[in-house]
């Protein structure tokens, strides 16, 4: 890169991450001995370590370390997790999240604070309130719940109400539409049509058959493709799903906790060292979730075995996945649990570590059809980066070996990240 205006670069100080191995999951490239130059909130250049950079630049020693794009958690619930959860994502190398059901005004305020630098947290894409069958909302209120239902969900009973809900959310400025349950197929299809009119990606639970998910122009299906699981082989169906552009977010990390009895779950939670980061509303909500756990039917292990076979077949068919955790579900710790999800993508589904990193950095941009940002370490891309002490390609568990995180050009070294974690725990204790 030619330094045509050295004075300008010195005024807007460059940061140079030197001697690092750069991992680009988007196209599977690994480049050793590189220097990554960051100016402001963008990557200015990626060059050989032998190339010179302007004097006065801030230098971060990357020798023997590995640089990956900032990670995404593609399924979180921020209003439930609370504002104190935001810094935990950054401390764990998650620089972006896809919020799947929250109070829009609340999350929009947090997003503004994050982007202005007054609050530490990730970039936020949000659906605002999730759409829900009106009958399901009435049941929740009748049975009683700690959740402020109307702040987080919009009840719809027919296609007209479904379209009106999408229009309302679009006017607020949401980034996508999320539907959890539907009163009928007609309403589901109407929501998909209205979301498409507003050019908003549509995400939903598997409320109908895969064929109907495709017809509704769904962009991502959450948790399972169907439940109970499809019986293989389904090669033709999986080819149709791939051709449709549907992404699959299976949130495997939260499944083991759902299989526990209330007593076993409570014991596990009490012994968990990460418990110190859960407080306020989330702690109360988790207690309610634990009380609601019940023994799964004897068929559950067999169903889950079939689901995992489908996951592996979908991977073989080339269907793109997303990496999400369902933060706000019990045992899903903001930031921490994504690393478990990455491990499961490798050990249970058969993705390579490079593919798992691609799922958690590049694939969210497919969901949003974002052609400007592509989750890579290249000139002009956002300066959202994670510096690791160990190679995640040789062992995906090394995504936890974080030496530093850069968010929008702001650098958090290991000491700063430890301070973030300490402050989060202390803030929880105050509540």
């Amino acid at each position: 890169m030619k330094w045509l205006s050295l004075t300008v670069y010195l005024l807007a100080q460059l940061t140079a991450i030197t001697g690092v191995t750069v991992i680009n999951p988007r196209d599977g490239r690994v480049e050793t001995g590189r220097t990554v130059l960051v100016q402001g909130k963008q990557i200015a250049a990626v060059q050989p370590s032998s190339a010179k950079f302007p004097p006065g630049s801030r230098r971060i020693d990357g020798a023997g370390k590995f640089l990956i794009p900032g990670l995404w958690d593609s399924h979180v619930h921020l209003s439930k997790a609370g504002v104190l959860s935001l810094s935990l994502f950054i401390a764990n190398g998650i620089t972006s999240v896809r919020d799947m059901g929250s109070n829009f005004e609340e999350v929009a305020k947090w997003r503004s604070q994050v982007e202005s630098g007054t609050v530490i947290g990730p970039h936020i894409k949000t659906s605002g309130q999730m759409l829900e069958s009106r009958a399901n909302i009435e049941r929740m209120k009748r049975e009683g719940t700690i959740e402020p239902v109307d702040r987080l969900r919009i009840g719809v009973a027919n296609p007209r109400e479904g379209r009106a809900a999408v229009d309302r959310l679009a006017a607020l400025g949401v980034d996508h539409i999320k539907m959890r349950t539907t009163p009928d197929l007609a309403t589901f299809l109407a929501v998909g049509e209205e979301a498409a009119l507003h050019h908003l990606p549509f995400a939903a639970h598997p409320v109908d058959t895969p064929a109907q998910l495709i017809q509704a122009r769904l962009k991502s299906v959450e948790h399972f493709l169907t439940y109970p699981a499809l019986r293989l082989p389904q090669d033709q169906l999986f080819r149709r799903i791939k051709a449709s552009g549907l992404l699959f977010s299976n949130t495997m990390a939260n499944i083991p906790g759902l299989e526990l009895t209330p007593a076993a779950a409570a014991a596990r939670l009490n012994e968990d060292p990460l418990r110190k980061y859960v407080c306020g509303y989330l702690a109360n909500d988790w207690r309610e979730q634990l009380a609601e756990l019940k023994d799964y039917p004897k068929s559950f292990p067999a169903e889950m075995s079939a689901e995992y076979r489908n996951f592996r077949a979908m991977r073989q068919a080339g269907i793109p996945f997303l990496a999400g955790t369902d933060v706000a579900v019990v045992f899903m710790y903001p930031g921490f649990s994504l690393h478990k999800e990455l491990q499961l993508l490798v050990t249970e589904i058969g993705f390579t570590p490079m593919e798992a990193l691609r799922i958690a950095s590049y694939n969210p941009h497919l969901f949003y059809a974002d052609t400007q940002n592509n989750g890579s370490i290249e000139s002009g891309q956002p300066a959202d980066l994670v510096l690791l002490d160990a190679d995640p390609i040789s062992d995906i568990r090394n995504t936890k070996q974080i030496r530093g995180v850069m968010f929008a050009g702001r650098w958090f070294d290991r000491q700063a990240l430890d301070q973030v974690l300490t402050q989060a725990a202390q803030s929880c204790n105050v509540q």
Side-chain angles (χ1 to χ4, degrees):
M1 179 176 181
K2 295 181 179 179
W3 303 104
L4 300 179
S5 182
L6 181 59
T7 304
V8 173
Y9 282 101
L10 287 174
L11 289 174
Q13 187 186 33
L14 279 168
T15 295
I17 306 173
T18 62
V20 74
T21 295
V22 172
I23 297 174
N24 255 315
R26 181 192 177 197
D27 54 16
R29 282 183 293 125
V30 177
E31 299 174 298
T32 60
R34 311 300 286 178
T35 290
V36 176
L37 299 172
V38 173
Q39 183 181 25
K41 297 182 178 181
Q42 285 192 324
I43 297 171
V46 180
Q47 60 188 35
S49 293
S50 58
K52 294 183 179 180
F53 51 88
S57 301
R58 177 177 58 172
R59 183 175 180 273
I60 298 169
D61 185 7
K65 296 176 174 50
F66 302 82
L67 196 66
I68 63 172
L71 302 171
W72 281 72
D73 189 330
S74 288
H75 195 124
V76 304
H77 294 272
L78 291 182
S79 280
K80 283 194 169 188
V83 68
L84 293 181
S85 73
L86 297 179
S87 65
L88 298 175
F89 290 105
I90 295 298
N92 282 279
I94 291 90
T95 57
S96 299
V97 297
R98 189 177 66 143
D99 178 50
M100 301 299 283
S102 288
N103 177 267
F104 178 80
E105 290 79 4
E106 180 176 56
V107 171
K109 180 183 74 173
W110 296 344
R111 174 163 59 187
S112 177
Q113 292 170 330
V114 164
E115 297 300 335
S116 69
T118 59
V119 168
I120 296 172
H123 302 294
I124 299 170
K125 296 282 192 179
T126 183
S127 66
Q129 293 162 286
M130 70 182 88
L131 274 56
E132 191 89 63
S133 165
R134 183 178 297 280
N136 199 41
I137 286 183
E138 291 172 351
R139 177 193 59 78
M140 292 177 69
K141 291 180 177 180
R142 185 171 59 251
E143 294 177 355
T145 174
I146 190 174
E147 178 186 312
V149 177
D150 291 329
R151 292 187 71 243
L152 307 183
R153 305 170 195 255
I154 299 176
V156 296
N158 52 54
R160 177 184 58 79
E161 291 185 1
R163 290 183 184 277
V166 173
D167 293 343
R168 169 185 162 189
L169 291 167
L172 288 174
V174 300
D175 302 292
H176 55 272
I177 299 296
K178 158 74 181 299
M179 191 167 207
R180 183 174 178 273
T181 60
T182 184
D184 50 45
L185 176 59
T187 302
F188 178 58
L189 295 176
V191 167
E193 290 172 2
E194 201 68 14
L197 288 174
H198 289 284
H199 306 288
L200 290 171
F202 181 29
H205 288 210
V207 300
D208 213 293
T209 66
Q212 298 297 354
L213 301 181
I214 294 171
Q215 184 181 344
R217 310 182 200 188
L218 204 64
K219 193 62 180 176
S220 74
V221 61
E222 307 302 308
H223 309 304
F224 302 114
L225 182 61
T226 63
Y227 192 85
L230 294 171
R231 300 307 174 188
L232 296 176
Q234 296 285 342
D235 296 347
Q236 184 175 0
L237 171 62
F238 292 158
R239 285 194 294 270
R240 282 189 62 202
I241 292 173
K242 181 184 178 184
S244 75
L246 178 66
L247 289 94
F248 184 56
S249 175
N250 56 347
T251 61
M252 292 177 292
N254 75 6
I255 293 174
L258 301 177
E259 299 176 292
L260 298 174
T261 64
R268 172 180 161 183
L269 184 60
N270 288 335
E271 297 170 359
D272 198 325
L274 296 179
R275 173 66 181 80
K276 62 187 175 183
Y277 299 114
V278 178
C279 56
Y281 168 85
L282 186 60
N284 292 329
D285 191 68
W286 278 21
R287 279 192 286 270
E288 183 175 85
Q289 290 182 48
L290 291 177
E292 291 173 347
L293 286 174
K294 50 190 173 183
D295 292 336
Y296 274 77
K298 292 182 179 179
S299 63
F300 187 73
E303 286 295 343
M304 291 314 304
S305 178
E307 293 286 4
Y308 275 77
R309 285 197 298 272
N310 280 332
F311 296 167
R312 289 188 283 271
M314 292 166 72
R315 181 249 174 184
Q316 289 291 333
I319 294 170
F321 281 55
L322 295 169
T325 60
D326 214 359
V327 158
V329 168
V330 65
F331 300 121
M332 293 298 98
Y333 294 96
F336 297 93
S337 293
L338 183 73
H339 298 284
K340 180 61 175 178
E341 184 73 11
L342 295 179
Q343 292 172 38
L344 292 171
L345 287 170
V346 173
T347 61
E348 299 299 322
I349 310 303
F351 286 105
T352 66
M354 182 69 83
E355 289 170 335
L357 291 176
R358 190 176 197 270
I359 288 168
S361 59
Y362 172 70
N363 283 8
H365 300 283
L366 296 178
F367 176 80
Y368 291 108
D370 184 354
T371 59
Q372 299 299 314
N373 304 315
N374 54 37
S376 63
I377 303 177
E378 298 174 341
S379 176
Q381 288 298 297
D384 299 324
L385 305 165
V386 185
L387 187 65
L388 302 174
D389 281 330
D391 183 4
I393 303 305
S394 63
D395 189 337
I396 193 63
R397 292 174 296 180
N398 288 334
T399 58
K400 296 187 293 184
Q401 303 301 313
I402 297 173
R403 176 55 45 185
V405 175
M406 182 170 282
F407 172 79
R410 182 181 178 186
W411 176 246
F412 298 83
D413 62 16
R414 185 64 259 171
Q415 182 178 5
L417 295 176
D418 289 340
Q419 289 174 348
V420 166
L421 292 172
T422 298
Q423 181 61 50
Q426 289 175 345
S427 298
C428 260
N429 289 334
V430 169
Q431 285 200 351

